[in-house]
Amino acid sequence: MYSFLEQSSLILQEAGKVGQIDPNVMQLLEAPQRVISFRIPLKMDDGSFRVFDAHRVRYNDALGPTRDGTRISPELDLDEVKALALIMSVKHAAGKIPAGGGKGGIAADPKALSGREFEALCRGYMRHLHSSGSAYDVPGADVGTNLQTMSWMLDEFESIHNRHEPTAVNDKPPILGGTLGGYEATGSGVFEVFEEAAREIGLEIEGARVAIQGFGQVGAVAAQRFFAAGCKVIAISDSRGGVFSENGIDVPSLIEHKQTTGQVLGLEGTHGVTNEELIACDCDVLVPAALQGVITSDNAVHVKARLVVEAANAPTTMEADRILAEKGVTVVPDVLANAGSVHLCQMERTQGLYDNYWDEATINQFRRERLSGGFHAALNTAARYQVTSARIGAWINALKRMEEAIKMRGWC
Ligand code: NAD
């Protein structure tokens, strides 16, 4: 089994080969342009002292300043950050966003820190990162970070540089120069790309049977959109287990149930399922919206869905991707399906630079148009290069744009 980084590199190589990308460009793209690893010292509440490892990877900035998330998790390692930074480069380029891919993070468990310790850690990250601001590299949120952490990071940046610069950080709240629609962007986008894909394969949206793994920010918002459109959401899971109902789950009731009990298990009218059962259940649409590497060579053979919509980053391994293709399952890849957030960050930046803020309807329309454009462009490219994979189509589109920018800059 390939590691996350190996898998991302293999997709890169395959798209480069099929898309006939210049070997010199491929040589440049086979590893990140800049990697910084640093250590954040922290005085703990009990008087002890700890040091936290942190990283920031700027994969390639030929198309514009590097941008995107900051992951704070105990298992975080540099290879994971590199893989995510590569995926972000592709996501931006495939969506025609003038940005490079960046990713960063801290190896720490936010739940094991007090409020003061966590704030000091986030501020320490920004201080030790030595960020130069919005024209260079723009950290955003990811697993373990949110509106509050991004606000602390922005405040730290602005204090160091003695100026207001809201575009130095993404995923901040509207009151500090962020954008409306941030929470819903990815989950709603997942549903909107599903709609496009369903039309392509002739799947009726009303009554479509949907199974969703993950009921957090992305999975829960997507579930509400599927439910509101008349799909039958038959299975939903979170880290504690899943629920199933042949007649369809009442998603608003599940949201309330999760708010009260902290889990999806136990919702009236449903029975419990394991994650493996959810992946193999008799549905039309499978939406992995939790973790990477969950559809593997072991369980891909059991997938019954006609359509897999990758809401999480890299949920399908390469071997599983091949098995699904052989079975005739259509996979909408992560770089298209969950790109709602990168389009939102582009809107956040544009509004911040102009100091002029848009209403939610404008934002939603922009997101929907951009997602649809990226999806169809990937399908067209896949057809042109005679491959069935929308993933390879999207990666080729991204690589072509990076190649052009790299060559125009005279880098190779
Ligand atoms: P989140 O932390 O809000 O939710 C994650 C959900 O997954 C939770 O419900 C959690 O209980 C569940 N989960 C964890 N382990 C599980 C397991 N073993 N089985 C089933 N469920 C499990 O995170 P999120 O923001 O919803 O992100 C989900 C995925 O989408 C991640 O891969 C993330 O990288 C990706 N993503 C998120 C965004 C965004 O804007 N939030 C954008 C692009 C991609």
Side-chain angles (χ1 to χ4, degrees):
M1 179 136 149
Y2 297 112
S3 72
F4 184 21
L5 179 58
E6 285 167 340
Q7 177 155 312
S8 309
S9 302
L10 284 169
I11 302 169
L12 174 74
Q13 296 309 326
E14 192 178 333
K17 201 166 125 204
V18 177
Q20 296 155 11
I21 305 298
D22 185 325
N24 290 338
V25 172
M26 290 307 292
Q27 196 182 329
L28 180 63
L29 293 178
E30 74 189 11
Q33 252 177 314
R34 285 185 193 82
V35 174
I36 122 158
S37 289
F38 51 103
R39 310 192 79 208
I40 308 170
L42 194 67
K43 288 181 193 140
M44 309 301 284
D45 289 351
D46 64 4
S48 65
F49 171 75
R50 282 183 65 188
V51 183
F52 293 85
D53 288 323
H55 313 282
R56 181 81 188 161
V57 174
R58 303 181 63 234
Y59 204 90
N60 186 279
D61 68 351
L63 284 169
T66 45
R67 304 214 301 251
D68 204 31
T70 311
R71 183 167 285 199
I72 306 185
S73 89
E75 296 88 26
L76 187 85
D77 69 31
L78 183 55
D79 276 359
E80 181 182 356
V81 183
K82 285 181 183 174
L84 289 165
L86 168 58
I87 290 173
M88 291 322 303
S89 289
V90 171
K91 228 183 267 187
H92 286 139
K96 296 192 177 171
I97 294 170
K103 203 83 179 187
I106 312 170
D109 180 1
K111 289 186 189 141
L113 299 171
S114 72
R116 187 211 61 86
E117 290 166 344
F118 190 41
E119 178 177 344
L121 185 67
C122 293
R123 288 183 182 277
Y125 180 79
M126 213 53 195
R127 216 164 41 251
H128 293 275
L129 179 63
H130 297 161
S131 174
S132 318
S134 54
Y136 180 74
D137 181 38
V138 183
D142 193 84
V143 175
T145 46
N146 53 29
L147 292 174
Q148 179 60 77
T149 59
M150 301 328 289
S151 303
W152 290 328
M153 288 186 200
L154 176 66
D155 185 62
E156 193 65 26
F157 177 90
E158 292 182 339
S159 307
I160 294 165
H161 293 272
N162 199 23
R163 62 171 188 259
H164 279 284
E165 187 179 324
T167 46
V169 163
N170 262 333
D171 299 310
K172 58 201 173 288
I175 193 73
L176 296 184
T179 180
L180 297 173
Y183 190 82
E184 301 80 18
T186 307
S188 279
V190 166
F191 173 76
E192 287 154 6
V193 179
F194 151 76
E195 279 184 306
E196 302 285 341
R199 270 193 281 276
E200 283 296 318
I201 64 165
L203 173 69
E204 188 70 45
I205 291 175
E206 192 160 351
R209 291 160 63 84
V210 182
I212 303 174
Q213 184 192 54
F215 201 57
Q217 180 174 346
V218 178
V221 171
Q224 290 174 79
R225 293 289 309 268
F226 282 107
F227 180 80
C231 298
K232 205 186 256 191
V233 183
I234 55 167
I236 297 183
S237 67
D238 65 15
S239 58
R240 298 194 191 169
V243 286
F244 182 93
S245 165
E246 187 55 43
N247 298 325
I249 295 165
D250 184 68
V251 174
S253 302
L254 186 62
I255 295 209
E256 263 184 60
H257 174 79
K258 170 107 183 172
Q259 271 163 3
T260 343
T261 65
Q263 58 184 20
V264 298
L265 273 173
L267 179 72
E268 211 180 303
T270 65
H271 66 82
V273 281
T274 64
N275 266 307
E276 283 307 306
E277 287 166 342
L278 181 142
I279 285 169
C281 79
D282 186 11
C283 61
D284 300 306
V285 189
L286 177 61
V287 184
L291 308 168
Q292 62 224 29
V294 289
I295 306 179
T296 65
S297 52
D298 292 335
N299 60 20
V301 282
H302 305 303
V303 169
K304 297 187 186 65
R306 288 174 65 190
L307 192 58
V308 172
V309 185
E310 293 186 339
N313 282 318
T316 313
T317 68
M318 276 204 88
E319 300 91 333
D321 214 18
R322 275 196 203 102
I323 296 169
L324 294 176
E326 279 162 22
K327 281 164 60 94
V329 179
T330 301
V331 177
V332 183
D334 48 7
V335 292
L336 302 174
N338 69 28
S341 57
V342 292
H343 291 298
L344 190 96
C345 283
Q346 172 62 16
M347 289 185 266
E348 179 175 354
R349 175 181 176 83
T350 307
Q351 292 169 82
L353 289 171
Y354 279 90
D355 216 358
N356 182 20
Y357 295 88
W358 308 337
D359 60 48
E360 212 153 349
T362 307
I363 288 161
N364 291 344
Q365 189 189 341
F366 183 98
R367 182 193 64 229
R368 183 182 271 275
E369 285 169 6
R370 292 303 171 106
L371 285 170
S372 168
F375 175 71
H376 290 288
L379 291 192
N380 290 341
T381 300
R384 193 173 336 126
Y385 287 91
Q386 296 178 337
V387 291
T388 51
S389 163
R391 189 187 315 281
I392 295 300
W395 279 64
I396 291 175
N397 282 348
L399 291 179
K400 292 275 181 204
R401 284 178 64 77
M402 286 193 246
E403 178 181 46
E404 191 183 343
I406 286 167
K407 288 193 167 173
M408 289 306 289
R409 285 178 184 277
W411 288 356
C412 64

